[in-house]
C-alpha cells in the first residue's frame, strides 16, 4: 500500500519569499539549505557559529525537520563575513545578500514541495494521480497539521500562558504555544463545517475572503455570496480568534458555531480580551489551493509529486488527504 515517510530524501521544501533582498541595507539575508534540522535548531547553530543572539535573527516561517528545506534568514550586518564561512553539519549557506529590514514571520509568498511516495502499486499510481489532480481543482481542507501542536499538550500550555498561570520567557516558544490555541479553534470549526458539508457553502453571517485581493467582509446575502463562491470569487474562512479579527454577524449561525468551537478548546472571550496584544487575531481560508508544478511521475514503486501551497498551508495535510491511513510522519 502506498505510504509516505517524511525524510531528507522523500520530502523537499523550497520557500518562495514575499520579496527578494535588494542588495543594500543593514540586514544580511542568507538563503540556507538544511537537512534533518528544525528552523530553530538551524538558527541556534548559525548563531553559535557567528556569535549573535537568536533574538537578532529574522525568519519568515518554520520549515519541517525531517526534510531537505531551503529558506531565508536575516542577521545583523556585523556578522556578514562570518556567515559566509560558517561550517555547520547538515546546513549550508547557499547565498547571501543585503536588505533594509529584518525578516518577519509571514514574509512568504508560497512554498514549493517535492514529495516521494513509496510502496505504490501500479493500480494505486493511477488512482493517486487522479486524486491529486482533483485537489488542484477542488482544493483541500486547510487544516493545521500535527506539527503545529507538537508532541506535548501545546494547547493546554498555551491556555495556561493566556490565563497567567504559566510563564514562558522564550518569545518564539511563547508565540508558538499561544498560536496552537488559535489553531485548535480553527481546526475545530473546520471539522464541524466539513461534517456538515459547509466548507464550500456560505453560512448566514460568514466572514468571507475575496479570492483576488484577500479582502475580508461579512456576508449579508448568503444566496448571492454562494454564487460568487461557486464562481471562484470568494472563499469561506475560519477564525484565529483575537481582539482585532473580523467576526461573523452577532447571533448568526456562523457566529454560534465559532463561539462553540472556542468553548470546546477552552478559549473564552475574557481570555482574548485579557491578551489583546498577544491575540490580535486573523482569519484563515477553510480550503487551500493546491498548485500543481508538474504531473505526478511514477517510477517503479514510487510516485513523485510537485506542488505549491500558500504560506501557512501544510503539505502533510495534502498528503494525509491523498493517502488517508497510509500516511506516516516521523517525529
Amino acid at each position: 500500500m502506498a505510504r509516505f515517510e517524511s525524510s531528507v530524501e522523500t520530502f523537499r521544501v523550497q520557500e518562495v519569499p514575499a520579496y527578494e533582498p535588494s542588495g543594500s541595507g543593514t540586514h544580511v539575508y542568507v538563503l540556507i539549505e538544511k537537512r534533518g534540522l528544525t528552523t530553530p535548531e538551524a538558527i541556534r547553530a548559525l548563531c553559535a557559529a557567528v556569535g549573535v543572539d537568536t533574538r537578532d535573527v529574522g525568519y519568515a516561517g518554520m520549515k519541517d525537520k525531517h526534510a531537505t528545506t531551503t529558506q531565508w534568514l536575516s542577521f545583523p550586518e556585523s556578522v556578514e563575513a562570518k556567515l559566509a564561512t560558517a561550517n555547520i553539519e547538515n546546513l549550508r549557506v547557499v547565498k547571501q545578500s543585503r536588505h533594509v529590514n529584518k525578516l518577519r514571520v509571514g514574509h512568504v509568498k508560497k512554498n514549493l514541495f517535492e514529495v516521494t511516495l513509496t510502496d505504490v502499486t501500479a493500480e494505486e499510481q493511477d488512482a493517486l494521480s487522479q486524486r491529486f489532480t482533483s485537489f488542484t481543482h477542488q482544493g483541500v481542507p486547510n487544516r493545521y497539521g500535527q506539527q503545529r501542536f507538537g508532541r506535548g499538550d501545546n494547547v493546554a500550555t498555551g491556555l495556561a500562558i493566556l490565563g497567567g498561570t504559566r510563564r514562558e520567557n522564550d518569545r518564539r516558544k511563547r508565540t508558538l504555544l499561544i498560536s496552537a490555541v488559535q489553531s485548535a479553534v480553527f481546526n475545530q470549526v473546520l471539522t464541524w463545517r466539513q461534517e456538515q458539508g459547509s466548507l464550500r457553502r456560505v453560512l448566514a453571517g460568514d466572514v468571507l475572503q475575496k479570492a483576488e485581493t484577500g479582502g475580508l467582509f461579512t456576508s449579508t446575502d448568503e444566496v448571492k455570496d454562494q454564487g460568487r463562491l461557486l464562481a471562484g470569487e470568494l472563499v469561506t474562512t475560519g477564525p484565529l480568534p483575537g481582539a482585532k479579527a473580523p467576526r461573523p454577524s452577532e447571533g448568526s449561525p456562523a457566529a454560534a458555531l465559532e463561539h462553540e468551537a472556542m468553548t470546546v478548546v477552552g478559549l473564552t472571550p475574557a481570555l482574548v480580551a485579557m491578551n489583546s496584544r498577544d491575540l490580535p487575531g486573523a482569519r484563515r481560508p477553510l480550503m487551500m489551493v493546491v498548485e500543481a508544478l508538474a504531473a505526478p511521475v511514477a517510477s517503479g514503486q514510487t510516485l513523485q509529486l510537485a506542488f505549491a501551497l500558500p504560506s501557512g498551508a501544510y503539505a502533510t495535510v495534502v498528503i494525509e488527504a491523498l493517502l488517508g491511513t497510509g500516511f506516516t510522519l516521523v517525529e
Side-chain angles (χ1 to χ4, degrees):
M1 186 174 80
R3 62 193 299 269
F4 171 72
E5 186 169 316
S6 184
S7 71
V8 296
E9 289 81 23
T10 62
F11 195 23
R12 299 186 67 89
V13 187
Q14 179 183 343
E15 180 181 272
V16 179
Y19 50 84
E20 294 287 343
S22 64
S24 62
T26 58
H27 299 269
V28 181
Y29 276 36
V30 294
L31 180 64
I32 66 165
E33 179 187 85
K34 61 181 184 65
R35 295 165 57 90
L37 296 171
T38 65
T39 296
E41 287 170 346
I43 289 173
R44 288 194 293 269
L46 272 170
C47 286
V50 303
V52 70
D53 195 289
T54 57
R55 290 174 295 183
D56 295 325
V57 179
Y59 63 96
M62 295 291 185
K63 296 294 176 285
D64 300 80
K65 176 174 184 175
H66 301 288
T68 298
T69 71
T70 61
Q71 69 180 116
W72 286 95
L73 305 174
S74 70
F75 286 80
E77 61 181 338
S78 59
V79 296
E80 184 173 24
K82 292 181 179 179
L83 285 167
T85 58
N87 183 15
I88 300 170
E89 186 178 5
N90 296 321
L91 186 153
R92 68 185 181 95
V93 174
V94 179
K95 61 180 178 179
Q96 60 188 72
S97 184
R98 290 279 193 112
H99 199 61
V100 294
N101 62 268
K102 182 179 180 180
L103 259 179
R104 300 292 182 185
V105 172
H107 290 190
V108 179
K109 183 178 181 181
K110 57 185 176 181
N111 291 293
L112 312 182
F113 300 92
E114 294 179 14
V115 172
T116 301
L117 308 180
T118 59
D119 300 335
V120 185
T121 66
E123 294 78 13
E124 288 176 317
Q125 287 175 351
D126 287 340
L128 291 172
S129 295
Q130 291 176 15
R131 191 181 305 168
F132 175 76
T133 299
S134 75
F135 290 172
T136 67
H137 298 296
Q138 301 173 7
V140 175
N142 196 17
R143 188 179 307 279
Y144 280 101
Q146 186 56 42
Q147 306 98 301
R148 188 75 165 187
F149 305 102
R151 285 182 288 181
D153 198 346
N154 285 4
V155 174
T157 305
L159 287 169
I161 291 172
L162 293 173
T165 60
R166 173 166 175 158
R167 292 182 59 85
E168 178 53 64
N169 295 323
D170 185 301
R171 177 176 57 85
R172 287 195 178 99
K173 188 173 181 181
R174 175 184 169 85
T175 298
L176 179 65
L177 291 167
I178 291 175
S179 69
V181 177
Q182 295 172 298
S183 302
V185 174
F186 177 88
N187 274 5
Q188 185 62 69
V189 169
L190 185 148
T191 295
W192 285 342
R193 292 192 65 149
Q194 188 171 18
E195 290 172 351
Q196 67 181 217
S198 64
L199 289 178
R200 297 186 186 88
R201 177 165 57 84
V202 178
L203 299 181
D206 248 343
V207 178
L208 303 173
Q209 184 179 64
K210 298 177 182 178
E212 185 174 349
T213 65
L216 298 168
F217 70 96
T218 302
S219 176
T220 57
D221 186 340
E222 60 265 33
V223 175
K224 177 182 176 181
D225 290 334
Q226 181 65 34
R228 296 180 64 191
L229 187 147
L230 293 176
E233 298 176 24
L234 304 175
V235 294
T236 53
T237 71
L240 297 175
K244 298 180 180 179
R247 289 190 286 261
S249 301
E250 192 68 30
S252 68
L257 186 145
E258 295 186 8
H259 177 75
E260 181 62 22
M262 289 178 61
T263 300
V264 167
V265 171
L267 180 61
T268 65
L271 279 179
V272 172
M274 287 168 50
N275 296 274
S276 58
R277 183 174 179 179
D278 289 322
L279 288 173
R283 302 292 299 189
R284 175 180 170 93
L286 288 169
M287 298 293 293
M288 71 168 87
V289 176
V290 180
E291 176 190 351
L293 301 177
V297 177
S299 177
Q301 289 189 306
T302 68
L303 186 68
Q304 293 181 323
L305 307 174
F307 56 94
L309 296 177
S311 172
Y314 287 76
T316 49
V317 171
V318 175
I319 299 166
E320 185 174 21
L322 189 68
L323 296 182
T325 56
F327 174 74
T328 301
L329 178 63
V330 177
E331 291 290 352

